Amino acid sequence: MAETLGQFLRTVREQNKLSTRAVKKETGITTSQLSRLECNITRTPSPTTLKKLALLYNIKLIDLFQKAGYLDSKDVDFYMESCFKGIEKLNPEDKKH
């Protein structure tokens, strides 16, 4: 069974040794909001909430957007293709940068 967004967020918060109160202090997300999110009661948190958590937990926002269902693998593939369009024209040094 795939890990839910809530399970993932709880795991990452605990790995960062953060209490729900510490998250509230740093992000403004209330402990009850965070609890509902981690218990999968809130299934579609706002993108702003996800951004605050990604910054605090030092994780990729795109991963949270995928877990929340805002993006799927096709969205990510399209984004990556557009970001690197024309890369084959660059010399090795420019590609490195």
Side-chain angles (χ1 to χ4, degrees):
M1 184 163 91
E3 183 179 45
T4 66
L5 173 63
Q7 291 167 332
F8 176 74
L9 288 172
R10 180 173 296 204
T11 298
V12 174
R13 178 177 59 77
E14 290 172 349
Q15 287 172 347
N16 281 285
K17 297 181 176 28
L18 291 168
S19 67
T20 56
R21 287 184 179 155
V23 172
K24 180 184 185 291
K25 182 180 177 187
E26 295 295 323
T27 65
I29 298 167
T30 66
T31 55
S32 60
Q33 285 175 302
L34 186 59
S35 177
R36 287 191 305 270
L37 183 55
E38 289 182 351
C39 291
N40 297 302
I41 295 167
T42 300
R43 296 197 183 266
T44 52
S46 75
T48 302
T49 296
L50 294 177
K51 184 175 182 178
K52 289 176 182 180
L53 292 172
L55 288 170
L56 179 62
Y57 297 166
N58 195 30
I59 55 177
K60 295 176 188 170
L61 180 59
I62 199 164
D63 292 341
L64 292 185
F65 277 17
Q66 281 185 282
K67 285 191 175 291
Y70 289 118
L71 298 172
D72 62 26
S73 59
K74 288 180 185 178
D75 296 323
V76 175
D77 290 345
F78 177 78
Y79 173 77
M80 294 304 287
E81 286 174 18
S82 66
C83 283
F84 294 104
K85 191 173 189 175
I87 194 168
E88 69 280 353
K89 297 175 185 173
L90 298 176
N91 64 45
E93 185 64 25
D94 288 337
K95 286 181 185 178
K96 190 175 177 181
H97 287 290

